[in-house]
Amino acid sequence: MARRFLFYPHQSQRVKFHEASFDLLSDFLVNLNKTNRDKLNNLTKCSGHVPDNRFIEYIFLITEELRLDPSVAYHATELLERFMIKHLKEPFTTPTPQGAAADQPRHGEDHVLDERKEKFPLIVFSCVQLASKMALCSNMINNHTAVRFLTSAGLSVSKQAVMESEMTVLKGLEFRLSVPNPLVYVEILLEVLGHNDSPVPVEHLYHLCRHVLRFTCVQRAAIYDSLLRVTTQCASPSGEQREKFATVTQDFMLLGVGVIAVASYIQSVSKWEQVVKELNFITGISQKSIRDFAHVTLMHITRPSLT
C-alpha cells in the first residue's frame, strides 16, 4: 500500500508527475515549507509591495518571446520584487543629512520610481536575464541576445549598459538569486496530490494551474486587496490590518493551494470540495482559507472589470 502524504504542520528542478519517489517529494516539501516559513518570519515593513502589473506582464512577454521556461518568469518576478523593496526601503531608512531641512518631504514610492523610470525597463529585463541563468532547463540570455531584443523593443542600449544593469540588480539583491517561486510550489503540491490519489487527474490540472497562476500574479494587487476585505470583513481596512496581511501576500504555500483549488473548480466543480479537503490534509491550511482564496480569484477571473 502506497504511503499517503501528510504535510501538517511541520513538513527545482522540474519533476514529471508520478515519477518522483516518496522520499524525494518528502524532501522537497520539507525544504519548501522551511523556506516559506523562514521568509514569513523575516518580512520587513516594505514586504508585500507588489510591482506594477505592467512590469509583470512585461516579464511574461519577454520570456515568451525568447522562448524561456515558464519558471523563469516567476523567478524574475521575485527578483524584481526584492529589488524594488530594497530601493523603496532605502530612501525611508537613510538618515537625513545634517544641515538638511527638518521638514523636507520624504520621497514617496512614486518619486522613487520616477527617479529610476528611464532605467527601469532595463532593470526588469536584467531580472529576466539573471533568472534565465539560474534555470538549468532554460536557454540563457547572453548579452548579444539582450541587446538585440531590447533594440527591437525600442530601447537603445549597449552591451556595457546591459552588463552594468545586471550588476546593479546583483548588488541590489546582495548576490542572493536562489529564491523560490510560486510555480515550484504548485508543481510539488500537484505531484503530492497525485500521489494521494487526486480526485482530478493532476495532468489535467497542471495546464489550467499555469494559466491561473499567471493571472493571479499579474492581478496580484487587486486579488489580494479583495482577499483582505473578505478576511477582515471591512470595506476600508486600516493600515495596521494591511501591514499584518503582508504575511498572507507572501505565503507561497497558500498561493499554491489556492491556484490548484481554482483550477480544480474550473476543471470539475463536482470534485472541487474533495480537492480542497485533500489540500487541507496535505498542507494544514484551513479549508476556509483555501475557499476564500479560490472564491476571490474566481471573482476576478469572471469579472475582470473589477480589477
Side-chain angles (χ1 to χ4, degrees):
M1 181 176 179
R3 286 179 286 180
R4 190 162 183 253
F5 273 95
L6 173 59
F7 180 45
Y8 173 69
H10 297 294
Q11 307 249 151
S12 90
Q13 296 179 3
R14 194 68 46 85
V15 292
K16 293 182 179 180
F17 293 117
H18 307 302
E19 293 190 7
S21 68
F22 177 92
D23 290 337
L24 178 60
L25 278 175
S26 181
D27 288 343
F28 267 125
L29 280 171
V30 169
N31 182 61
L32 285 179
N33 187 53
K34 181 180 184 304
T35 302
N36 194 54
R37 283 189 289 107
D38 288 347
K39 180 181 67 171
L40 296 180
N41 289 334
N42 292 283
L43 296 180
T44 67
K45 288 187 177 181
C46 292
S47 297
H49 171 81
V50 180
D52 190 300
N53 61 1
R54 291 171 298 177
F55 299 142
I56 300 176
E57 288 177 346
Y58 183 33
I59 286 174
F60 279 106
L61 290 174
I62 293 172
T63 55
E64 287 179 352
E65 184 67 24
L66 296 177
R67 298 184 179 182
L68 302 175
D69 188 83
S71 64
V72 173
Y74 296 103
H75 195 163
T77 299
E78 289 306 302
L79 296 181
L80 177 63
E81 180 175 339
R82 291 179 182 226
F83 180 83
M84 290 181 68
I85 288 173
K86 168 91 172 168
H87 282 265
L88 287 172
K89 185 169 128 182
E90 283 180 348
F92 294 96
T93 56
T94 302
T96 303
Q98 288 187 349
D103 58 350
Q104 185 175 355
R106 304 292 287 181
H107 293 311
E109 176 184 329
D110 292 339
H111 189 88
V112 173
L113 292 178
D114 189 60
E115 288 181 333
R116 297 167 172 80
K117 66 180 179 182
E118 292 184 1
K119 296 182 179 179
F120 209 72
L122 186 52
I123 292 293
V124 174
F125 185 87
S126 293
C127 290
V128 178
Q129 187 173 11
L130 288 169
S132 76
K133 295 179 179 180
M134 296 293 292
L136 299 179
C137 57
S138 179
N139 297 324
M140 184 180 72
I141 304 174
N142 58 37
N143 291 336
H144 176 73
T145 301
V147 171
R148 184 177 60 190
F149 177 85
L150 291 167
T151 300
S152 70
L155 296 175
S156 179
V157 296
S158 63
K159 288 185 180 180
Q160 182 65 29
V162 170
M163 289 189 290
E164 289 176 355
S165 176
E166 192 173 22
M167 185 55 65
T168 296
V169 175
L170 276 170
K171 289 181 178 179
L173 296 172
E174 299 177 339
F175 295 88
R176 297 176 182 175
L177 303 181
S178 184
V179 296
N181 71 72
L183 183 58
V184 173
Y185 283 78
V186 171
E187 290 178 340
I188 297 301
L189 287 170
L190 278 175
E191 178 69 24
V192 175
L193 193 64
H195 183 93
N196 285 2
D197 298 324
S198 169
V200 180
V202 292
E203 294 85 356
H204 296 171
L205 284 178
Y206 182 61
H207 181 70
L208 269 175
C209 280
R210 286 192 29 195
H211 287 289
V212 173
L213 181 59
R214 175 168 176 167
F215 177 86
T216 304
C217 287
V218 172
Q219 297 296 331
R220 181 176 166 190
I223 288 173
Y224 278 110
D225 186 63
S226 296
L227 185 59
L228 171 61
R229 297 173 195 278
V230 168
T231 302
T232 60
Q233 297 185 336
C234 180
S236 300
S238 66
E240 182 180 359
Q241 287 173 316
R242 290 184 179 279
E243 187 175 330
K244 290 181 179 179
F245 194 72
T247 57
V248 176
T249 68
Q250 298 298 307
D251 190 340
F252 280 177
M253 198 64 77
L254 173 62
L255 176 59
V257 297
V259 165
I260 295 172
V262 171
S264 66
Y265 185 93
I266 296 171
Q267 178 70 34
S268 179
V269 66
S270 63
K271 298 180 179 179
W272 182 65
E273 285 291 347
Q274 291 175 262
V275 174
V276 170
K277 289 178 181 178
E278 187 61 33
L279 291 172
N280 160 251
F281 179 84
I282 293 169
T283 66
I285 296 175
S286 72
Q287 293 184 40
K288 181 181 185 306
S289 294
I290 298 173
R291 290 192 191 96
D292 284 348
F293 190 102
H295 287 155
V296 166
T297 304
L298 286 164
M299 177 188 72
H300 283 271
I301 290 174
T302 58
R303 301 178 64 186
S305 60
L306 292 178
T307 64

